[in-house]
Amino acid sequence: MARGRVGEKEEGEKHIRLLKLAQTLSFLLIFMAGIIIGLAASSHIDRYFNSLPQIFSSSSANLQTIPDYSNCTVIHRDCTSDDENHDDDDGKAEKKRKIRDCWSVDGFVKPENVSHGMSDDALFWRASMVPVKEEYPYDRVPKVAFMFLTRGPLPMLPLWEKFFKGNEKYLSVYVHTPPGYDMNVSRDSPFYHRQIPSQKVSWGSPLLTDAEKRLLANALLDFSNERFVLLSESCVPVYNFTTVYSYLINSAYSFVDSYDEPTRYGRGRYNRKMLPDIKLHHWRKGSQWFEVNRNIAIYIISDSKYYSLFKKFCRPACYPDEHYIPTLLNMFHGSVNANRSVTWVDWSIGGPHPATYAADNITEEFLQSIRKNETDCLYNEEPTSLCFLFARKFAPSALAPLMNLSSTVMGF
């Protein structure tokens, strides 16, 4: 019996040793398999990360295929713009390309080209940007923006070109024409390539005020523009550029006609649906042809709240171009408005439209009567007889006599 028990014990111990050996071998096999799998995975990871620079390089090459931006109202690093054609040795015109850095200050503060693809909302947002820092990082020469709202041709263009000549450093020109209309002017004209992206205009409707705001917003993209004057195709200057520039740049006030008219043509156009934001005592009327400083221009194009009320509730016989800006300034900026226009208009004939002057009306005495007003106005709170810088309406036939009298009477 004793020997049988010893044999059984030895058999049990042997079985246990075999089990331990099997466990050790299994562990070794698993361990080796783990090493092999790890090495294989490591080689794949190395190949993946080594390929990343090529992947990103390929992606970057695709991303750098940028369209040809011809102006810098959109800021990007390297952009190209078309320079003027020039003749080579063979007399053939070839297109000259110019590369410039659009991250530069010049590219931001003074777009070279007024053409762009912005919607009105995007344009107004961009134009409403105001730098907090008062100092300018460039030599800023304040300019006057001349904004022409036209039905098409500019019959007085030669007179304006003569007026602007030699003063290009101090002015900017912006023209809003019917969509698709192309101004045919020479390359050296201050009107060359100055048509802004325009939309259809209907006189007497909110579309007319939309066009005014569109002109202001485009002019605001040039940070050197300090004063903004709205003109029509029938407007003419009655003083030389130096006088006009000095008068506007040195004025402490904007020039917006804004008055209370207690008749059906004034208060009678007010709509009570504008309450509570616009009350009757806020309501004003005035000439469409305004002149404002930069701060007022930014305020006008930034307003949505009050303009939306005019678009909804100022309909014929209410005309937004006669009421919106005069009312807005009366409500919020009356203290910095001269409450008069610098554009002379003759309403003495009565009716919905002012008098139009043709060639037979243009005399030295007539022009002098506009230049020296019979009743003094206030300029920077001082009385003066120099009240009007521009005049309208003039028929195309008036151009020739105006050109003849421009140097002797108007000084240019």
Side-chain angles (χ1 to χ4, degrees), residues 191-233:
F191 290 86
Y192 183 71
H193 278 180
R194 301 309 295 175
Q195 288 179 254
I196 68 168
S198 305
Q199 296 185 27
K200 182 181 178 181
V201 170
S202 177
W203 260 249
S205 78
L207 296 177
L208 181 56
T209 313
D210 288 343
E212 294 174 2
K213 296 183 74 169
R214 198 173 297 124
L215 277 164
L216 276 175
N218 278 278
L220 282 166
L221 297 180
D222 187 335
F223 278 70
S224 291
N225 286 332
E226 186 62 31
R227 307 290 300 206
F228 305 78
V229 57
L230 182 68
L231 302 158
S232 76
E233 70 269 20

Side-chain angles (χ1 to χ4, degrees), residues 1-12:
M1 289 292 292
R3 287 179 182 175
R5 291 182 183 139
V6 170
E8 291 176 358
K9 184 177 181 181
E10 289 177 352
E11 287 292 330

Side-chain angles (χ1 to χ4, degrees), residues 80-301:
T80 60
S81 63
D82 292 338
D83 203 351
E84 59 185 62
N85 293 336
H86 64 92
D87 294 333
D88 56 17
D89 295 337
D90 297 328
K92 297 179 180 179
E94 63 179 16
K95 185 69 69 176
K96 182 181 178 182
R97 306 292 293 177
K98 181 172 64 175
I99 306 296
R100 61 192 178 90
D101 182 4
C102 292
W103 285 110
S104 68
V105 171
D106 289 343
F108 182 75
V109 301
K110 184 186 177 183
E112 278 194 359
N113 196 330
V114 298
S115 177
H116 57 76
M118 287 185 283
S119 65
D120 278 354
D121 287 340
L123 172 65
F124 296 158
W125 177 82
R126 168 73 189 278
S128 68
M129 293 181 179
V130 180
V132 177
K133 189 175 178 63
E134 293 183 0
E135 300 84 4
Y136 290 90
Y138 67 103
D139 185 16
R140 182 179 186 263
V141 176
K143 297 191 296 184
V144 176
F146 293 85
M147 309 179 301
F148 292 85
L149 179 56
T150 78
R151 294 180 173 90
L154 274 171
M156 298 297 160
L157 187 141
L159 185 68
W160 283 104
E161 289 178 331
K162 187 177 181 183
F163 170 76
F164 290 143
K165 188 175 182 180
N167 299 289
E168 290 78 7
K169 181 180 179 181
Y170 304 100
L171 67 95
S172 302
V173 174
Y174 302 87
V175 186
H176 190 294
T177 63
Y181 179 80
D182 186 22
M183 291 181 63
N184 185 19
V185 296
S186 63
R187 299 182 68 89
D188 59 353
S189 171
F191 290 86
Y192 183 71
H193 278 180
R194 301 309 295 175
Q195 288 179 254
I196 68 168
S198 305
Q199 296 185 27
K200 182 181 178 181
V201 170
S202 177
W203 260 249
S205 78
L207 296 177
L208 181 56
T209 313
D210 288 343
E212 294 174 2
K213 296 183 74 169
R214 198 173 297 124
L215 277 164
L216 276 175
N218 278 278
L220 282 166
L221 297 180
D222 187 335
F223 278 70
S224 291
N225 286 332
E226 186 62 31
R227 307 290 300 206
F228 305 78
V229 57
L230 182 68
L231 302 158
S232 76
E233 70 269 20
S234 64
C235 285
V236 300
V238 294
Y239 282 93
N240 61 33
F241 184 87
T242 302
T243 301
V244 171
Y245 179 84
S246 176
Y247 195 97
L248 297 179
I249 291 294
N250 294 316
S251 175
Y253 297 88
S254 292
F255 298 95
V256 178
D257 207 19
S258 179
Y259 56 90
D260 178 25
E261 183 174 311
T263 70
R264 65 189 180 98
Y265 301 109
R267 293 184 194 175
R269 296 175 177 176
Y270 172 75
N271 191 326
R272 291 180 60 84
K273 292 181 180 179
M274 293 182 174
L275 289 170
D277 297 303
I278 302 175
K279 300 178 174 62
L280 179 59
H281 70 268
H282 294 144
W283 192 253
R284 291 294 183 273
K285 182 181 179 180
S287 170
Q288 170 190 0
W289 311 105
F290 61 78
E291 192 283 334
V292 295
N293 64 25
R294 188 173 184 88
N295 290 336
I296 298 298
I298 292 171
Y299 184 80
I300 291 171
I301 63 100

Side-chain angles (χ1 to χ4, degrees), residues 347-382:
W347 288 98
S348 63
I349 61 173
H353 301 290
T356 298
Y357 290 90
D360 292 342
N361 306 116
I362 309 305
T363 64
E364 180 175 347
E365 292 74 23
F366 170 67
L367 293 176
Q368 290 291 9
S369 70
I370 298 173
R371 287 162 51 89
K372 299 298 181 182
N373 198 38
E374 293 180 358
T375 305
D376 284 354
C377 58
L378 293 179
Y379 176 78
N380 288 343
E381 302 182 8
E382 296 291 333

Side-chain angles (χ1 to χ4, degrees), residues 380-411:
N380 288 343
E381 302 182 8
E382 296 291 333
T384 178
S385 62
L386 202 168
C387 301
F388 298 109
L389 306 176
F390 315 100
R392 68 184 301 268
K393 300 174 60 172
F394 290 87
S397 65
L399 176 62
L402 285 170
M403 292 287 286
N404 292 334
L405 293 171
S406 64
S407 58
T408 58
V409 178
M410 297 180 282

